[in-house]
Amino acid sequence: MKAAERRRKIVEYIRGAQSAVSAGSLSEKFGVSRQVIVQDIAILRANGYEVISTSRGYVLDGGGRATRVFKCRHTLDELVDEAEIIISRGGSIEDVSVSHRVYGKISAHLGLTTITHAEELYRSLKSGASKPLMSVTDGYHYHTVCAESEAKLDEMEGALRTAGYLIEI
């Protein structure tokens, strides 16, 4: 199993658990060391997942909706298409972030819930008044996406991959 797939399954497992999940039990379930699990959790946190450590293990603060961080790459002119892939499948794009080599993580709230919102953002960025965050990282960026279920997020992930926008984390 690839690291990205393991991390996705870790999130699903923690989200579906009735109580906190220990690093030891995760390491047994996924056949990796406890240290690998600790590193996976750190990467998940860096990518926007709200994994909380308790004395009994990890829990996910998801607010009742399924949430996933997608790493994407595309041009400004493809922004609306990317948003349509997500929004038409019942998702909302909560934010955009980039990982800058000098400044670290830079993020901005988007709250895109309709195609009209995405089109307005595109027109604003296309006007040249401001540059999109992805322009400082050659088109690479992250989106936190929310949906009603993991199945919907899986559908969005597949469509983003098919369109060539998804970059494996």
Side-chain angles (χ1 to χ4, degrees), residues 19-132:
S19 60
V21 180
S22 72
S25 66
L26 288 170
S27 72
E28 285 179 29
K29 175 158 182 61
F30 294 104
V32 295
S33 71
R34 186 181 177 288
Q35 184 57 36
V36 168
I37 295 297
V38 171
Q39 290 170 349
D40 283 344
I41 296 296
I43 290 168
L44 288 168
R45 286 177 176 150
N47 286 307
Y49 288 96
E50 295 186 37
V51 182
I52 300 167
S53 296
T54 71
S55 61
R56 295 177 188 221
Y58 299 114
V59 295
L60 197 62
D61 183 15
R65 285 180 49 100
T67 303
R68 191 172 299 170
V69 176
F70 295 122
K71 183 177 183 181
C72 300
R73 183 176 189 228
H74 57 76
T75 66
L76 176 59
D77 289 334
E78 294 167 321
L79 181 146
V80 174
D81 185 50
E82 174 202 45
E84 187 170 0
I85 287 170
I86 294 167
I87 293 167
S88 68
R89 289 166 174 79
S92 62
I93 304 171
E94 299 302 309
D95 63 21
V96 61
S97 64
V98 295
S99 182
H100 194 277
R101 291 178 192 236
V102 175
Y103 301 119
K105 182 178 178 181
I106 305 169
S107 64
H109 174 74
L110 292 178
L112 300 179
T113 58
T114 68
I115 301 302
T116 302
H117 290 151
E119 290 169 342
E120 289 169 359
L121 175 63
Y122 171 76
R123 281 193 297 276
S124 176
L125 292 170
K126 190 72 174 176
S127 74
S130 295
K131 298 279 186 197

Side-chain angles (χ1 to χ4, degrees), residues 22 141 148:
S22 72
H141 59 284
E148 67 184 32

